[in-house]
């Protein structure tokens, strides 16, 4: 049984990192015309979308860590739904990156591994910390998306539509984690998370 479980988990990791993500919902930018972007604007939008894509890769690691360590399995359905929405976010950002003429970050496996490790570590300490970690992550991602929405080139309505829908989804995920009893993380942990995400965003914008 342990081996079955291990195979399923490894399969998830390989799928997350190396196969295109699939979205059940229609991509939020479908039906929106491509805007007129200068070369510099396109490059900037691409950098931002690469950061957001890596953020979604990290979300996969966290949710997988949550699923592996959760002691209370009664709410797993809600978490599976949220995790599936994160896969859709992956699909949307990935597709947009290709449309902008770029590729996803080469650092994705590294940040994925880090997030999975953190998700597992938080879960080992206890469900409420794991949930607290999830809620804080969703909160920080939401703030981040708000910032990127301001930074996007004016004419890039396609990326904007994607980030707006993601922001809405992340707010629901944060509420969900809080409703299931997320603990408020100690300020030093929040600080470490902010610093980690700063490192991630400044690197993946370029590579
Ligand atoms: Fe997401
Ligand atoms: Fe989320």
């Amino acid at each position: 049984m342990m081996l079955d479980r291990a195979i399923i988990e490894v399969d998830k990791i390989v799928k997350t990192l190396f196969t295109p993500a699939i979205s059940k919902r229609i991509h939020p930018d479908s039906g929106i015309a491509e805007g007129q972007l200068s070369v510099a604007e396109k490059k900037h939008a691409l950098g931002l979308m690469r950061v957001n894509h890596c953020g979604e890769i990290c979300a996969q690691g966290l949710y997988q860590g949550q699923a592996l360590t959760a002691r209370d399995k009664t709410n797993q359905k809600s978490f599976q739904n949220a995790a599936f929405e994160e896969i859709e976010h992956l699909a949307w950002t990935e597709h947009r990156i290709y449309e902008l003429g770029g590729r996803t970050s080469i650092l994705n496996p590294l940040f994925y591994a880090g997030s999975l490790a953190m998700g597992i570590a938080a879960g080992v300490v206890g469900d409420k910390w794991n949930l607290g970690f999830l809620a804080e992550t969703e909160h920080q991602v939401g703030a981040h998306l708000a910032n990127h929405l301001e930074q996007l080139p004016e004419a890039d309505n396609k990326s904007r539509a994607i980030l707006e829908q993601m922001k809405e989804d992340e707010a629901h995920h944060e509420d969900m984690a809080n409703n299931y009893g997320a603990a408020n993380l100690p300020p030093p942990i929040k600080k470490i998370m902010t610093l980690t995400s700063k490192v991630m965003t400044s690197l993946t914008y370029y590579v």
Side-chain angles (χ1 to χ4, degrees):
M1 280 303 109
M2 276 290 278
L3 185 65
D4 285 358
R5 185 76 194 267
I7 290 170
I8 291 170
E9 294 307 324
V10 169
D11 184 57
K12 267 194 217 162
I13 295 172
V14 172
K15 278 206 180 111
T16 305
L17 290 173
F18 304 112
T19 64
I22 294 167
S23 179
K24 260 197 230 162
R25 282 181 286 178
I26 296 170
H27 288 226
D29 62 324
S30 75
I32 295 176
E34 188 65 75
Q36 287 282 345
L37 302 180
S38 69
V39 173
E41 284 177 331
K42 216 173 189 178
K43 214 173 147 198
H44 184 48
L46 180 58
L48 296 176
M49 294 311 273
R50 190 160 41 225
V51 169
N52 291 315
H53 179 266
C54 184
E56 296 303 324
I57 289 275
C58 293
Q60 286 304 310
L62 278 184
Y63 275 94
Q64 213 176 331
Q66 199 279 335
L68 279 170
T69 54
R71 279 157 227 181
D72 179 359
K73 303 281 183 193
T74 49
N75 303 319
Q76 284 307 302
K77 189 94 196 109
S78 309
F79 287 98
Q80 276 164 12
N81 284 340
F84 185 74
E85 286 184 356
E86 307 293 9
I87 294 177
E88 296 191 311
H89 296 173
L90 264 185
W92 305 342
T93 47
E94 187 178 280
H95 187 246
R96 186 64 189 140
I97 286 169
Y98 295 139
E99 276 180 345
L100 289 164
R103 48 155 188 74
T104 56
S105 174
I106 53 168
L107 300 173
N108 283 345
L110 186 78
F111 286 108
Y112 176 80
S115 305
L116 181 62
M118 283 197 275
I120 291 173
V124 167
V125 187
D127 281 0
K128 68 175 186 164
W129 296 109
N130 187 313
L131 291 173
F133 195 57
L134 250 177
E136 178 60 20
T137 305
E138 297 287 1
H139 182 75
Q140 291 196 8
V141 171
H144 204 86
L145 288 169
N147 172 277
H148 278 196
L149 279 164
E150 275 175 28
Q151 282 197 55
L152 272 180
E154 183 118 25
D156 193 357
N157 291 323
K158 285 179 85 68
S159 300
R160 184 167 294 107
I162 293 173
L163 297 193
E164 270 165 2
Q165 185 59 54
M166 279 166 57
K167 191 163 164 276
E168 205 180 305
D169 292 348
E170 311 307 8
H172 288 150
H173 301 161
E174 183 186 350
D175 289 346
M176 172 196 73
N178 282 325
N179 290 341
Y180 290 138
N184 194 10
L185 298 183
I189 302 279
K190 286 188 185 176
K191 186 106 196 161
I192 291 170
M193 289 170 71
T194 310
L195 283 174
T196 312
S197 92
K198 277 211 174 105
V199 172
M200 185 277 268
T201 53
S202 45
L203 288 174
T204 56
Y205 181 87
Y206 299 102
V207 292

